[in-house]
Amino acid sequence: MRNPSRHPVTVAVTLVLLGLVAVLAAACTGLQSPPGSTTTSGTSGTKPSSPFDPTTTAPPPGLAGPLLAYRAADEIGVVEGTSVIATASGAFTPSNDLLSTEDGRFVFARTVDNQLATIDVRNRRGATRQIPVGPALGTAGGSAIVWWEQPNRLMRLDLSDAAATPQVMQTVDLPPVPQAGDPRLIVARGGTAVLARVEGAPTPFGGPDTLYAVRGPGAPTSLGQADANSPVAVARLSPDGAALAYALYRATGDACGTAAVVQSDADGNQQTFDVAGADPTAGSRITKLWWPNEGAPKLSLTTWRCGQPQLDPPVVWQLAGQQIAQVSPPTSALQTAEVTPGQRALILPHSDGYTEPAGALVFEESARRIPIKDDVDAIAVIEPSP
């Protein structure tokens, strides 16, 4: 594997106070301030509920595992060990959507014509439901999924009920802003939904976005304007919905720019990790961002020389405390997933097209790599029932 060490990566950490003040529940520990930085905290005493207060959804009994879900160009599937045990056929494009419900019972994805493909993990049956869904799918506890419907509705569907129809989960009215664009859902998980909206005349690259967290029936909480001139397209919430991570891309031209990743915790603080080489002609972009069921967020980072073909494969990094660093051992992949100790799944980029958002899914154990499926753009681990 090649290691893009010739593009030096430096990290700058910036803490910003958001407009919400909260404390983490006992089960969720907030991020610590990095040395030499300052963090403004709220007043003592009782604090209002945060849009990132943690919740958990226990998986129901009867699920085998650990299993691996994947989304490929022609199907979604479930893998047990190195065998594909269930599929649902369809045409799928790469996206940032989640793949499995929070109880682990269903794998789901939207097709190119915005229909809903599902796999019931228990009976291993795949199906396509003739239900139009929005351009981004998230989860809402149990077997429920959510999407956004213009102008102001979060829609919900319970996949455990074959006869269920979409219902309005919540009406969300963002603050009125002149020249504001249409809101869009970028991620939903663990009881939190995050919306993005361009508020004002957009840049030539389509941004910047202002983000809002929606949690419960209260008013949405502004998370501030993203520090990028292009829209936020890659984001993840922690499994309990208590923290948010999202990628930034600061375009400097049609084919170049620099990447950053932001993490927001339940105290209302943000950490911005700027990923920028010292060479202004070096470009960087976060290809994929995922948040494992345990541990910190991970991402795949691509780097290139502006105006030249991308010669290096994406490399996996991880947010750890007050820094961002390559995972150990160094790994070139679009995405990884720890299935069991010593065993992991990887999406390996095609060597003749590092800019492609999909690659070959393989199962890795020790020095062995067993091919599973090609043209895969996303994977997710489904944990076994307790």
Side-chain angles (χ1 to χ4, degrees):
M1 299 179 189
R2 283 172 284 181
N3 189 329
S5 58
R6 60 191 181 94
H7 302 298
V9 179
T10 59
V11 180
V13 180
T14 306
L15 298 182
V16 182
L17 177 66
L18 297 180
L20 67 112
V21 181
V23 292
L24 282 169
C28 182
T29 302
L31 296 170
Q32 301 298 317
S33 301
S37 67
T38 58
T39 303
T40 305
S41 60
T43 58
S44 60
T46 303
K47 299 183 179 181
S49 176
S50 163
F52 293 144
D53 286 342
T55 60
T56 56
T57 300
L63 294 182
L67 305 174
L68 184 75
Y70 67 83
R71 180 177 59 234
D74 60 350
E75 68 184 22
I76 55 175
V78 177
V79 179
E80 184 174 31
T82 59
S83 300
V84 177
I85 61 172
T87 61
S89 299
F92 305 93
T93 55
S95 75
N96 189 51
D97 291 355
L98 300 179
L99 278 178
S100 62
T101 54
E102 292 175 28
D103 58 9
R105 181 175 172 183
F106 289 89
V107 175
F108 63 90
R110 55 189 170 89
T111 63
V112 293
D113 55 355
N114 288 330
Q115 301 298 300
L116 182 64
T118 65
I119 297 174
D120 188 325
V121 177
R122 287 177 171 173
N123 59 29
R124 303 183 181 183
R125 293 178 181 173
T128 299
R129 300 193 185 190
Q130 302 302 312
I131 296 176
V133 295
L137 297 178
T139 59
S143 295
I145 63 171
V146 294
W147 64 89
W148 181 255
E149 183 177 274
Q150 299 294 351
N152 62 351
R153 302 197 299 180
L154 273 174
M155 304 300 295
R156 180 182 184 274
L157 178 66
D158 186 355
L159 299 184
S160 66
D161 182 356
T165 58
Q167 304 294 323
V168 177
M169 175 179 170
Q170 186 174 348
T171 299
V172 181
D173 292 315
L174 299 182
V177 175
Q179 295 184 303
D182 291 332
R184 67 186 195 281
L185 178 70
I186 59 172
V187 67
R189 187 185 190 189
T192 300
V194 179
L195 305 175
R197 181 177 68 173
V198 176
E199 299 185 345
T203 70
F205 305 103
D209 277 334
T210 297
L211 304 185
Y212 293 88
V214 179
R215 191 171 181 88
T221 300
S222 175
L223 304 180
Q225 188 178 84
D227 185 18
N229 56 4
S230 59
V232 175
V234 183
R236 278 291 182 266
L237 285 158
S238 58
D240 58 10
L244 169 71
Y246 60 94
L248 302 177
Y249 182 67
R250 297 155 178 166
T252 57
D254 291 339
C256 208
T258 56
V261 62
V262 179
Q263 185 169 343
S264 177
D265 67 16
D267 290 326
N269 304 313
Q270 281 189 338
Q271 293 182 317
T272 300
F273 300 85
D274 291 301
V275 184
D279 188 346
T281 65
S284 59
R285 182 190 292 272
I286 294 173
T287 311
K288 198 79 178 177
L289 176 65
W290 62 100
W291 204 314
N293 293 320
E294 295 183 1
K298 294 182 179 180
L299 58 93
S300 56
L301 176 70
T302 60
T303 57
W304 69 95
R305 303 289 294 184
C306 298
Q308 298 181 18
Q310 184 178 319
L311 301 177
D312 293 315
V315 175
V316 178
W317 295 69
Q318 183 171 26
L319 296 177
Q322 290 80 47
Q323 64 179 348
I324 180 175
Q326 288 192 39
V327 297
S328 180
T331 301
S332 295
L334 289 165
Q335 188 179 353
T336 65
E338 304 297 325
V339 182
T340 60
Q343 300 175 332
R344 62 177 181 169
L346 304 94
I347 303 177
L348 302 179
H350 297 140
S351 59
D352 58 347
Y354 288 143
T355 59
E356 295 180 14
L361 173 60
V362 301
F363 181 83
E364 181 184 76
E365 184 176 25
S366 299
R368 296 189 307 155
R369 284 185 173 177
I370 303 171
I372 304 295
K373 176 71 178 178
D374 200 12
D375 291 328
V376 172
D377 80 285
I379 52 179
V381 174
I382 302 175
E383 297 291 350
S385 302

